[in-house]
Every structure is written in structure tokens, then in C-alpha cells.
Amino acid sequence: MADKQFPNPFTIEGPEGAEGWRELYPYSLTFSDARREYEENRFWFWDSMHWGTAMTPWDAHFFEVAIVTLSQMNSRHYRIPPADGIDIRVLNGYAYLSPVGVDPDKIEARVPQFMERAGHYFANWDDLYENWLVKVKGSIADIEALDFSPLPEMEELSIITEGTAVGSGHRLMSEYHRFRELIVQVWQYHFEFLNLGYAAYLDYFGFCKEAFPSIPDLGIAKMVAGVEVDLFRPNEELKILAKLAIDLGIPRAFDDPDNVQLTGDAGEKWQAAWDEAADPWFNFTSGNGFYHFDEIWREHPEVPYAFIRDYITKIEGGNDISRPIEAIQAERDRIVEEYRDLLDNDEDREAFDGKLGLARTVFPYVENHNFYIEHWTMSVVWRKVREFGATLGKEGLLATDDDLLFVRPDEVDSLLWDYYANWAVNSPAASPAHWAPTIERRRDIHDKLKGWQAPKALGQPPEVITEPFTIMLWGITTDSVATWLGTDNDVDGVITGMAASPGSVEGLARLVFTPEDVGTIEDGEILVAPITAPSWAPVFPKIQACVTDIGGMMSHAAIVCREYGVPAVTGTGFGTDKIKTGDRIRVDGSSGTVTILD
């Protein structure tokens, strides 16, 4: 790879008419001449798993907060021996990451630091996790309680009679600052356990690779499969509601998900069951929670109604819609016993049992955090962003409620001060005239950025990729980087990736790029997508297999496919580029190959 390079972030051209794109993002988030030598000589990859399209300023804010808090846990909290943080940049509206490794000479010194800190969590996992749930739910309640109501014509008399002096202007500015603080807080909670979950699995993974040199990565992953996690709960609730609709005699009410009419006692009973499940389980987005346009099930019931309709059809057709967890657990236990018997002594077997036990204990969090943070918390966060934008729109500071999306969070303070100051003086605000042309320009730039094809990587390709999270989560390996660069031994019609979930099937491909495309999937097709979202779980009983462009063994797509017994190849890089809807393909999830047959 020494003679090949990815595009240089300083010379690559963006879309015509989007030359002012940098103003949408903080100066620290874009490539800059001041850091050019550092940035040109690093490997950056596009995180299309989480940020697959051009970001608005607020989308980018959550990108920044998420990756910075991830980095904080690695480098400053737990002192992960081989991994510091992940550097981040935005290029033409797209998110790029660059893992920062630890100086090899310093890794050994960090081992005891990590063992002490991680060891406390591993030894007290259940108690700490219960407390984590309390903290996260408390933060969600705090965000929901924020008051972004408009400033009043006159302050309440109690401010006078109680001598508080502090009025609504201070309240609104303080609530906004509290909002941003809570966002950072909850994202620190997100990575409090997640990085340790990966670390425990990687420790077990390393033990198995040393003890059983020929064991496939998939064999190790299958030993921790068959778990019950809260992330699957929204889908399970839909199954319950589908069965209830049949039991109540109202299955036809869901034939048109866009026009569900529930009447009579049966409709009332079904609605009550929906309401009970909806909070919290339907605080579930159609995407991954990072974008303002993701549709939340509670707010867009037509989305889950469509899944309920499909489940009703399957039940009426005599199909079993339950997850095959017993079969997965039986296969898991068989593999564990097979490899455990290969160990030579009791000491090795004890180490194997201990590391496997820890990996299974912590593994559910690898999925559970996704529901509590990306879905539940971010559903509430985006509702608050819209509520805040509606207040500014109603008061005439912005032209429309969603104009706020094009004001950087760090710029909002000046907008709020203008609102407060001119409310206090009772004079015209400057913001309408200032922000109208700025937002119009930014909207136009953002529209152009959405049409740009972001390169998969930038800068200098690494000789070898060793950073464990990059491999396990994103599925970016030395081999995949070589594939992105183009190799001389590519085979026509054959695409390679991660062997993520076992089994081999043939079928027709269905390309899915957006949540709206999910509804086009037919029974027996093979899902081909840049990446899957947790809220797509209801389609997994319909598909034969899954192929993704990005994602490693611990990506959501890989985990869910193993839990549903669906063959999968993840991290192909070019699956959606080379496969078309209607192509007949063979997916071998055991070897990590996809073959285009015709």
C-alpha cells in the first residue's frame, strides 16, 4: 500500500456552489492549514455507519460530542493500554475519524492503570449498571423538564413578592446552557460501560486466538450469542401488539398503516396496550438517532404500524415470528464445550471460563446502550431541539421552526442574548435580518453537500491496522483498507468482508439506503445496505441474509444477524456500489464472501 494513497483532504474538491461550507461547523472540526502536516499524514475514514450523509450544524454537534466523550473514556478515564482517543474532522459536511494509538513505549505503563480502573467496574458490574440506568433515566427526565417557553409579556407577580429578581430571560438562557451540559453528560454515560464491554470481549477474543490459533473470529463471537437485551424490546412489543390485534379481532385495521382506525372496545383495548408500550419502548428512531430527520416511532406511528401489519400477515400465514434464541444458545454452548475440551489443563480452563463469563456479563450492554442513549435519549433531545426552534420561530427571531438546525450551537448564545435584550428593552431584535440570509445560504450549501460522494478514506493508508475498536466496531482492517485502495487480486463478481453471521444462502438483492426503503423489502430477499439501524429489526424475519458496506464483528448489524440466525457479511466496503436491486447473489456469512451470480 506504500505507493497508493487516499485523497488529500486539502486538495480534494467539493461540490460546486458549496464553497462556504466551513461556516456550518466549529473551526476546530475542519481541516486547517495550522494542523496540515499532522492531518495530511494521518489515515481518516468516513464513519458512514453513524453519519452517512451531510450534517447540519446540530447533527455535527452530536457527532463531536459523541466521539469526544468516547475518546475521554479511552484516554483519561480507563487508560485503555493500546488506544487513546479518536480524532475527528468534517470534510464537505461528512464525518471522518482517525484512531489515535498509544506510543508503544507507554503501553506497558498503562496496563496496571487500566486493570485497576476497569477491574473495579468488572467486579461491580451489576450494581454499577443498575445505577447507570438510574442516572440515564434521570438525565432523560431532566432534559424533558427543560423549559423553552417564550418570554412573557409581563413577569409573574411572585418574582416581585418573593424578591427573586431573576426573570424569564435568565431562565431561558440557563435552560439552553443546561441542555448542552446534559447532552455532554449523557454521552459520557453512553461510553462509561461501552468501551469496557468491548475491552472485555477483546480480552476473551485475544485469549481464544492464542489458545486456539485456527479459531475463526465468528466462532468466538458465537460463544457470546443468545442474549436477551433491551434493544430488542421495541421489536418484541410490536409482535405482542400484532398478536393482540388478531386476538381482539381487528387485524384488518392495520392493512393501511397510514390510515389506522381503532374503534369500539377492541380498539380502545389495543390503544391502551400501545400507550403502555410506547413510553419508553417506542422512543425508537427509524435511523440511528444522530440526525434531525430520523422519524421517532411515538411521533410517526405509521412506521411501527407497517411492521405490525407484516407480523399480522406472518402470524395469519402460520409462521413463527419468535427469535430462534434456543437454537442459537444450543449452538453457542456446543461451540464453547468443543473448544473448552481442547484446553490442556485446569488453569487454562479456569481462565477460559472466567474470561467467557465476564464477556457474557458485559456483552448485553454493547447493545443496550443503543436503546437508552441513541434512541430514547436522542428522541427526547431532538424533540427539545424542535421545541426550542419553535419558540424562536414563534417569536420572530427565526423565519421557520427548523431554521435552528442551521445555527451552530455555539452561535445560539448571541441569538438568545438578542432575544432577551430586546425583549427587556421592548425594541426590535436584530436577529431576523441577521439570520435570514445566513440560514438561506447555509440551507443551499447543505443541499449541495448532500449530493457529494464522500470518499471512504483520506490521507495516508496505514501499513497495518491494530486499533481494536476500529476493527471490531467499524470493521476496518488492513485487508479492507487494501480493498478500498484497489488490489490486483480482486475477483470479478466476488465481494469480501467480515464473516459476521454464519450460513450460506442465495437470493435476490434489495438495496436499502434510507429507512423509507425498508418498506420495500419482500419476503426472502437479501438486504444490502450501507449499514442497518436497530429499528430495522422487524424486517430480519423477512430476509434471507444481510450485506453491509461498513461494520465489524461487534457492529449492530453483525450482532442482530447472529441473534436472528441470519447469515451476514459486513464491512464489504463496496457492497452497495457493486450490487443492484434484483441481482441474484450468494452470501456466505461463514467465509465473509458475497458472489454476484446474475
Side-chain angles (χ1 to χ4, degrees):
M1 288 189 284
D3 59 337
K4 296 184 178 180
Q5 295 185 8
F6 292 111
N8 185 316
F10 288 89
T11 60
I12 193 169
E13 294 185 1
E16 186 177 352
E19 289 76 16
W21 66 269
R22 285 177 177 80
E23 72 170 271
L24 276 71
Y25 312 104
Y27 68 87
S28 60
L29 204 53
T30 61
F31 292 94
S32 63
D33 287 334
R35 298 182 291 190
R36 182 164 184 161
E37 183 178 357
Y38 165 82
E39 292 168 339
E40 280 186 325
N41 290 288
R42 294 196 64 80
F43 168 67
W44 304 87
F45 68 89
W46 172 27
D47 185 7
S48 59
M49 174 184 289
H50 300 104
W51 293 277
T53 190
M55 299 177 288
T56 68
W58 275 85
D59 300 329
H61 179 61
F62 298 124
F63 160 59
E64 189 173 22
V65 170
I67 304 302
V68 168
T69 51
L70 180 159
S71 300
Q72 173 185 337
M73 292 297 166
N74 271 10
S75 62
R76 307 301 179 183
H77 285 228
Y78 298 125
R79 307 289 283 174
I80 304 292
D84 266 336
I86 298 178
D87 211 348
I88 55 175
R89 294 292 185 274
V90 171
L91 178 66
N92 290 323
Y94 291 79
Y96 283 87
L97 308 182
S98 182
V100 178
V102 174
D103 182 336
D105 293 336
K106 298 180 180 179
I107 290 177
E108 185 176 354
R110 288 173 66 147
V111 171
Q113 297 169 348
F114 170 74
M115 294 302 294
E116 178 183 16
R117 292 159 182 252
H120 174 75
Y121 268 80
F122 292 149
N124 300 278
W125 189 272
D126 290 340
D127 290 341
L128 290 170
Y129 179 65
E130 285 300 315
N131 186 52
W132 181 88
L133 288 172
V134 173
K135 292 188 298 187
V136 170
K137 292 176 182 178
S139 294
I140 292 171
D142 288 344
I143 295 170
E144 287 181 321
L146 292 172
D147 182 5
F148 290 148
S149 59
L151 302 182
E153 170 64 24
M154 179 176 65
E155 293 286 13
E156 293 290 336
L157 182 61
S158 60
I159 292 178
I160 304 299
T161 58
E162 295 174 10
T164 59
V166 178
S168 299
H170 181 273
R171 179 264 304 167
L172 186 58
M173 290 186 290
S174 296
E175 294 287 83
Y176 175 68
H177 294 152
R178 180 63 176 149
F179 184 41
R180 292 190 63 183
E181 291 168 0
L182 285 167
I183 290 167
V184 175
Q185 174 178 294
V186 81
W187 275 98
Q188 292 189 47
Y189 293 160
H190 176 286
F191 292 106
E192 178 185 4
F193 282 79
L194 182 60
N195 297 20
L196 293 179
Y198 284 138
Y201 177 79
L202 287 167
D203 181 51
Y204 177 62
F205 181 91
F207 176 90
C208 288
K209 283 293 187 180
E210 184 174 345
F212 319 112
S214 63
I215 189 172
D217 294 359
L218 182 55
I220 302 172
K222 289 168 70 175
M223 291 193 225
V224 297
V227 295
E228 294 287 1
V229 295
D230 290 343
L231 186 64
F232 297 159
R233 182 72 177 272
N235 187 35
E236 295 304 312
E237 292 293 335
L238 295 186
K239 295 176 184 178
I240 293 170
L241 289 167
K243 293 175 182 176
L244 180 62
I246 293 173
D247 292 343
L248 291 172
I250 55 171
R252 301 285 71 78
F254 298 90
D255 286 347
D256 180 2
D258 293 320
N259 187 32
V260 172
Q261 301 293 326
L262 298 170
T263 59
D265 289 343
E268 187 175 329
K269 288 179 181 178
W270 192 93
Q271 185 64 53
W274 165 278
D275 292 342
E276 185 175 353
D279 194 11
W281 304 114
F282 297 161
N283 287 293
F284 211 46
T285 75
S286 59
N288 56 27
F290 287 112
Y291 280 100
H292 67 277
F293 52 74
D294 287 344
E295 294 183 340
I296 301 165
W297 283 10
R298 279 183 62 186
E299 299 168 12
H300 296 271
E302 67 277 6
V303 176
Y305 285 169
F307 295 138
I308 290 171
R309 176 200 58 195
D310 291 345
Y311 279 136
I312 288 172
T313 300
K314 282 191 168 293
I315 295 169
E316 291 178 330
N319 296 297
D320 182 5
I321 63 172
S322 60
R323 186 161 63 98
I325 189 167
E326 293 83 3
I328 293 168
Q329 290 174 339
E331 174 67 3
R332 173 197 70 188
D333 296 342
R334 182 194 67 77
I335 295 171
V336 168
E337 184 177 355
E338 175 185 320
Y339 280 99
R340 190 178 188 278
D341 288 344
L342 296 176
L343 296 170
D344 294 331
N345 54 67
D346 290 342
E347 182 178 352
D348 285 346
R349 282 187 284 273
E350 183 178 351
F352 176 84
D353 292 343
K355 292 178 185 296
L356 174 59
L358 178 60
R360 286 185 178 175
T361 295
V362 305
F363 191 74
Y365 182 83
V366 172
E367 286 292 83
N368 278 351
H369 79 277
N370 205 303
F371 172 74
Y372 288 102
I373 307 297
E374 277 94 327
H375 289 269
W376 188 1
T377 301
M378 290 306 294
S379 292
V380 175
V381 166
W382 282 119
R383 279 199 288 271
K384 280 296 174 180
V385 170
R386 290 193 295 273
E387 179 186 321
F388 187 36
T391 288
L392 297 175
K394 178 183 178 182
E395 294 299 288
L397 281 298
L398 300 175
T400 65
D401 293 356
D402 66 348
D403 274 358
L404 180 64
L405 296 171
F406 294 90
V407 181
R408 295 197 314 266
D410 62 288
E411 296 172 323
V412 172
D413 278 330
S414 61
L415 191 158
L416 277 180
W417 181 260
D418 182 48
Y419 178 26
Y420 163 60
N422 291 283
W423 166 83
V425 176
N426 203 10
S427 62
S431 289
H434 172 80
W435 283 109
T438 299
I439 290 170
E440 182 180 4
R441 181 178 66 253
R442 290 179 179 182
R443 282 185 182 274
D444 183 60
I445 290 171
H446 182 252
D447 283 341
K448 290 180 169 63
L449 295 178
K450 287 190 293 184
W452 188 63
Q453 179 55 59
K456 295 187 183 297
L458 303 167
Q460 293 286 344
E463 288 298 323
V464 62
I465 290 182
T466 59
E467 203 284 315
F469 298 107
T470 305
I471 297 169
M472 287 293 169
L473 177 58
W474 284 283
I476 296 174
T477 65
T478 304
D479 288 341
S480 66
V481 170
T483 299
W484 293 354
L485 286 167
T487 61
D488 297 331
N489 56 358
D490 289 347
V491 179
D492 286 345
V494 178
I495 304 166
T496 60
M498 287 268 184
S501 184
S504 179
V505 299
E506 294 182 11
L508 299 180
R510 172 69 65 175
L511 266 64
V512 172
F513 290 99
T514 68
E516 291 72 30
D517 295 338
V518 172
T520 67
I521 297 173
E522 302 288 343
D523 279 332
E525 290 185 324
I526 294 174
L527 170 62
V528 181
I531 192 61
T532 66
S535 55
W536 299 6
V539 306
F540 279 84
K542 298 174 68 173
I543 62 175
Q544 285 201 76
C546 179
V547 178
T548 67
D549 290 345
I550 193 168
M553 294 299 293
M554 292 296 103
S555 67
H556 172 75
I559 292 171
V560 171
C561 284
R562 290 194 293 270
E563 293 298 331
Y564 280 87
V566 174
V569 178
T570 61
T572 63
F574 299 97
T576 58
D577 294 332
K578 296 183 177 181
I579 300 170
K580 300 185 296 294
T581 292
D583 284 350
R584 178 166 290 278
I585 63 176
R586 179 188 302 119
V587 177
D588 188 338
S590 300
S591 67
T593 60
V594 181
T595 306
I596 303 174
L597 302 174
D598 53 63

